[in-house]
């Protein structure tokens, strides 16, 4: 089944709680929360206290995407704040195995994100320990960028390896997901679609329904 995770980065930050609730009401089971530290990526967004406040507004799965240099240091704060799954970048400074173990020890699911230049094979050693692989389809740091079609083979390669290992992995895509690009990523093997601009620029329900269509 395809899961949709609207990215709050594209929402009205003065009404974050209502925006998160509206996504769930529109049929999105997940909410994607982009955390940026101004170091791993050029922007700064929000931290654990905001995630904690949002927790009161919706029962949606909190899908926290850490675009920060030291996820090991902050993952615990996001677990306590109510994250259901925490995805950190393989390119960050933290030790991946230790970061996965920490997140899971706190009862939260763990995911690994790959920037566009990182090959699929880099995540293979961790596949048996994680719940999700996030294949970035733009350079992390900004919403509203164009989808990178050259990431499709990476999605296919991760799906192929998970099937070879017999692991029912969630494969998430993030960046430039819209009506034209959603079928491409689904065909390649992605089953969790993040969408910022596409969901928040118009009718949320129609956008979520369209993205959810099976290929
Ligand atoms: C980019 C973020 C994305 C972003 C996607 O660094 O990780 O989640 O919000 O935005 P769209 O869907 O507009 O490309
Ligand atoms: Zn994201």
């Amino acid at each position: 089944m395809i899961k949709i995770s609207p990215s709050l980065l594209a929402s009205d930050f003065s009404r974050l709680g209502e925006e998160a609730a509206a996504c769930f009401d529109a049929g999105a089971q997940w909410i994607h929360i982009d955390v940026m530290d101004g170091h791993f990526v050029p922007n700064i967004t929000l931290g654990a206290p905001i995630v904690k406040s949002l927790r009161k507004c919706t029962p949606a799965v909190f899908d926290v995407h850490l675009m920060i240099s030291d996820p090991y240091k902050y993952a615990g704060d996001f677990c306590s704040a109510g994250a259901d799954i925490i995805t950190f970048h393989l390119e960050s400074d933290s030790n991946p195995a230790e970061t996965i173990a920490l997140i899971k020890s706190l009862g939260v699911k763990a995911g690994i994100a790959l920037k566009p230049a990182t090959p699929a094979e880099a995540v293979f050693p961790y596949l048996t320990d994680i719940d999700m692989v996030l294949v970035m389809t733009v350079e992390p740091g900004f919403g509203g960028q164009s989808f990178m079609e050259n990431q499709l083979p990476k999605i296919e390669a991760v799906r192929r390896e998970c099937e070879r290992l017999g692991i029912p992995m969630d494969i998430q895509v993030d960046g430039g997901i819209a009506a034209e690009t959603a079928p491409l990523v689904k065909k390649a093997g992605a089953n969790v679609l993040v969408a910022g601009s596409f969901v928040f620029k118009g009718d949320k329900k129609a956008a979520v329904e369209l993205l959810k269509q099976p290929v």
Side-chain angles (χ1 to χ4, degrees), residues 47-195:
I50 293 184
V51 175
K52 191 176 175 194
S53 308
L54 283 174
R55 195 60 285 183
K56 293 175 243 153
C57 306
T58 170
V61 170
F62 274 15
D63 161 33
V64 175
H65 177 194
L66 296 182
M67 285 164 277
I68 66 177
S69 293
D70 193 357
Y72 185 84
K73 183 172 175 189
Y74 296 100
D77 291 348
F78 288 94
C79 290
S80 317
D84 296 291
I85 176 158
I86 295 190
T87 302
F88 64 93
H89 273 266
L90 198 55
E91 307 85 0
S92 72
D93 297 334
S94 301
N95 177 291
E98 286 173 7
T99 308
I100 294 164
L102 170 69
I103 295 168
K104 294 184 88 170
S105 74
L106 295 168
V108 172
K109 290 184 174 175
I112 287 185
L114 304 177
K115 285 167 76 168
T118 304
E121 293 72 26
V123 77
F124 288 1
Y126 306 102
L127 291 177
T128 50
D129 298 320
I130 57 178
D131 302 284
M132 185 164 82
V133 176
L134 164 51
V135 176
M136 291 299 301
T137 43
V138 297
E139 284 298 338
F142 304 89
Q145 302 182 78
S146 302
F147 177 79
M148 295 169 70
E149 219 164 292
N150 63 0
Q151 297 303 302
L152 292 170
K154 193 193 292 184
I155 301 168
E156 288 167 0
V158 174
R159 181 56 77 202
R160 215 179 303 125
E161 182 64 6
C162 291
E163 279 172 358
R164 192 183 72 79
L165 295 168
I167 303 173
M169 183 72 73
D170 275 334
I171 299 183
Q172 184 175 58
V173 283
D174 182 8
I177 300 301
E180 324 76 59
T181 52
L184 306 177
V185 295
K186 287 184 240 177
K187 250 178 240 150
N191 69 309
V192 186
L193 275 58
V194 175

Side-chain angles (χ1 to χ4, degrees), residues 29-42:
Q29 310 94 314
W30 290 28
I31 293 287
H32 187 79
I33 303 174
D34 288 300
V35 177
M36 304 187 189
D37 65 353
H39 188 253
F40 184 76
V41 289

Side-chain angles (χ1 to χ4, degrees), residues 8-30:
L8 281 183
L9 190 61
S11 72
D12 174 354
F13 269 37
S14 70
R15 299 170 41 250
L16 268 183
E18 288 162 52
E19 295 273 64
C23 290
F24 187 74
D25 295 343
Q29 310 94 314
W30 290 28

